[in-house]
């Protein structure tokens, strides 16, 4: 699985389940978001989106590099997924984070996991099968070395789309 659409209720249930299971943590030290280059705001956004309408000069490349660092930042040794990454769209969940979260999950009793997840998904009126899909997406990231982009949908519909970021420059080595 490399693509998962999620409603707001499903994202909330996923995040709360992962917090309860200690797969997700509030972290400190998130860097400040890079400032757009004054007078070149449109170029910065176009470059960040890899639109072919702008030529990347040194200043724009530096902005793009800083923005990518910002959206994918995680602690040096993550304990799981950084909580801010599911609080809003536009973040990249690193392979290190997915592997750390799965290491925690794999040590837990299956009945305990199901009890926690059923409780969170039931109270959020969310589809329980999304938990299994999310776990598959995490495993896909961990196995492939590609991070997960937690982004907004490109159409009207779900609240977010989580998908493997299948671009060579994002792959972990």
């Amino acid at each position: 699985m490399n693509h998962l659409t999620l409603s707001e209720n499903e994202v909330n249930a996923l995040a709360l389940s992962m917090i309860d299971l200690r797969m997700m943590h509030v972290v400190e030290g998130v860097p400040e978001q890079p400032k757009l280059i004054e007078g070149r705001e449109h170029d910065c956004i176009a470059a960040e989106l890899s639109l072919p309408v702008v030529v990347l000069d040194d200043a724009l490349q530096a902005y793009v590099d800083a923005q990518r660092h910002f959206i994918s930042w995680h602690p040096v040794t993550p304990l799981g997924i950084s909580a801010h990454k599911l609080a809003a769209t536009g973040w990249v969940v690193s392979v290190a984070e997915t592997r750390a979260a799965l290491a925690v999950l794999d040590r837990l009793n299956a009945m305990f996991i199901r009890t926690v997840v059923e409780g969170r998904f039931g109270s959020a009126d969310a589809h329980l099968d999304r938990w299994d899909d999310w776990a598959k997406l995490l495993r896909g990231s961990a196995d492939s070395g590609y991070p997960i982009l937690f982004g907004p949908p490109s159409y009207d519909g779900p609240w977010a789309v989580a998908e493997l970021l299948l671009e060579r420059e994002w792959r972990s080595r």
Side-chain angles (χ1 to χ4, degrees), residues 107-136:
R107 288 191 302 264
L108 297 174
N109 174 287
M111 288 300 294
F112 174 70
I113 295 168
R114 189 52 60 181
T115 299
V116 168
V117 171
E118 285 177 353
R120 288 299 188 179
F121 275 72
S123 66
D125 194 29
H127 299 286
L128 187 58
D129 61 338
R130 285 297 187 245
W131 173 260
D132 296 326
D133 293 340
W134 176 251
K136 289 176 192 172

Side-chain angles (χ1 to χ4, degrees), residues 35-45 54 57 59-60:
K35 303 278 189 249
L36 297 170
I37 301 169
E38 190 172 332
R40 298 185 67 192
E41 292 84 356
H42 182 271
D43 289 346
C44 288
I45 293 168
V54 64
D57 58 25
L60 282 177

Side-chain angles (χ1 to χ4, degrees), residues 36-37 40-57 59-65 67-68:
L36 297 170
I37 301 169
R40 298 185 67 192
E41 292 84 356
H42 182 271
D43 289 346
C44 288
I45 293 168
E48 185 180 339
L49 296 172
S50 301
L51 297 178
V53 296
V54 64
V55 175
L56 284 179
D57 58 25
L60 282 177
Q61 186 62 57
Y63 170 78
V64 169
D65 292 345
Q67 182 64 15
R68 283 187 173 191

